[in-house]
Amino acid sequence: MEEQIISKAIIETYFKELLSNLDVDVAVAGAGPSGLVCAYYLASAGRRVAVFERHLKVGGGMPAGGMMFNNIVVQEEAKSIMEEFGITLKKYAEGLYTADAVETMSGISFKTVKAGVKIFNLISVEDVVVRDNRITGAVLNWSAVDIARLHVDPLGIKSKVVVDATGHESEVCRLVEKKTGGIKVAGEKSMWAERGEKALAENTKEVSPGLFVCGMAANAVAGSHRMGAIFGGMLLSGKKVSALILEKLKSA
Ligand code: 48F
């Protein structure tokens, strides 16, 4: 086997996939639990979805559990989503389960890719495309460009919807706030698991035409509490935003 064949196989197949994701239904920024679950349900419903993840690994804050103790806690309401992904749940108390964080991260990402989602890791969403006051695409760059502080112009893709699933920083919403206006990012409040989980369902929504927010980014935009290593809300938020987007795309 010649080395150049290996290189050709990687370059050809990767760029074919990149080309076929230049015009998608939904571009998701962030491959944490909420972004992956959102992408999974959208792709399962037949939508073309690309996920762009800044880091090398997927799963966001999930594989680290709580303070690097890599188990997560999930409540009864999200049990069916964990089961959908085939994750083993251990009952800990009434209505509360634990799961292995690595199994959860790998199970969710595996089924998301199998559902037809392409996850582009090492690529960051650094801006959005706006036309007639509506977000119509995402602006991408290699994460390494930002890390190395290189002056390299990005590339843009077209998408009917962009999802901010970037977690605590709510990066996409923050840049829309700064550049386009129309959104106010309040910033997350300190830890209060019960309130944070409750508020998340309501905060998961379209925040600007064409821009939806889910997961911790939704609480950060709305100024709600953070909740630590309880993940049911993140999964439910990902599923909820997928349903809102499907409804929106149906009527578009
Ligand atoms: O932070 P993250 O896991 O977001 P989430 O889905 O879940 C939050 C929980 O992990 C946890 C919690 C549970 O109660 O509070 O924190 O809301 O995943 C966000 C992902 O987005 C990536 C980041 O590397 C992470 O993997 N990300 C952040 N900014 C960008 C990005 C960006 N501009 N472009 C692409 N990816």
Side-chain angles (χ1 to χ4, degrees), residues 30 32-34 52-55 60-61 125 165 167-168 171 216 227-228 230:
S34 66
F52 300 97
E53 166 54 49
R54 164 171 294 147
H55 284 298
V125 175
H168 299 263
E171 283 197 21
M216 203 50 226
M227 52 289 245
I230 182 155

Side-chain angles (χ1 to χ4, degrees), residues 25-26 42 47 133-135 160-162 205-212 240-252:
D25 291 321
V26 184
L42 287 169
R47 290 298 177 174
N133 294 319
R134 187 189 163 75
I135 284 154
K160 295 188 179 91
V161 163
V162 171
K205 58 186 176 194
E206 186 172 23
V207 285
S208 176
L211 176 63
F212 287 73
K240 180 180 174 185
V241 82
S242 72
L244 296 176
I245 293 168
L246 287 173
E247 204 48 44
K248 179 92 186 179
L249 292 177
K250 214 162 57 178
S251 59

Side-chain angles (χ1 to χ4, degrees), residues 74-227:
V74 173
Q75 54 281 58
E76 189 72 39
E77 295 87 327
K79 186 170 175 255
S80 60
I81 302 179
M82 292 290 272
E83 286 166 352
E84 169 81 17
F85 288 99
I87 315 293
T88 308
L89 287 168
K90 291 184 185 147
K91 189 166 179 174
Y92 183 75
E94 209 40 54
L96 212 60
Y97 300 83
T98 63
D100 181 272
V102 174
E103 181 190 343
T104 311
M105 173 203 78
S106 46
I108 291 179
S109 44
F110 179 76
K111 276 199 83 172
T112 300
V113 172
K114 288 291 184 193
V117 176
K118 176 67 188 178
I119 302 174
F120 294 95
N121 57 339
L122 298 165
I123 295 185
S124 297
V125 175
E126 66 160 56
D127 205 345
V128 289
V129 181
V130 183
R131 294 287 180 277
D132 302 323
N133 294 319
R134 187 189 163 75
I135 284 154
T136 58
V139 177
L140 310 173
N141 216 330
W142 298 114
S143 303
V145 164
D146 188 36
I147 294 163
R149 298 187 168 280
L150 301 175
H151 183 171
V152 178
D153 276 327
L155 292 173
I157 65 157
K158 194 171 167 183
S159 68
K160 295 188 179 91
V161 163
V162 171
V163 180
D164 184 345
T166 62
H168 299 263
E169 296 307 320
S170 58
E171 283 197 21
V172 181
C173 290
R174 277 189 197 279
L175 65 91
V176 170
E177 176 187 36
K178 198 167 98 190
K179 291 193 176 182
T180 315
I183 306 181
K184 178 92 195 74
V185 178
E188 69 183 28
K189 284 207 190 102
S190 55
M191 193 185 277
W192 192 335
E194 203 181 337
R195 283 206 178 173
E197 289 283 286
K198 270 208 186 99
L200 185 49
E202 204 180 304
N203 296 337
T204 299
K205 58 186 176 194
E206 186 172 23
V207 285
S208 176
L211 176 63
F212 287 73
V213 66
C214 66
M216 203 50 226
N219 272 11
V221 171
S224 298
H225 293 275
R226 67 184 305 189
M227 52 289 245

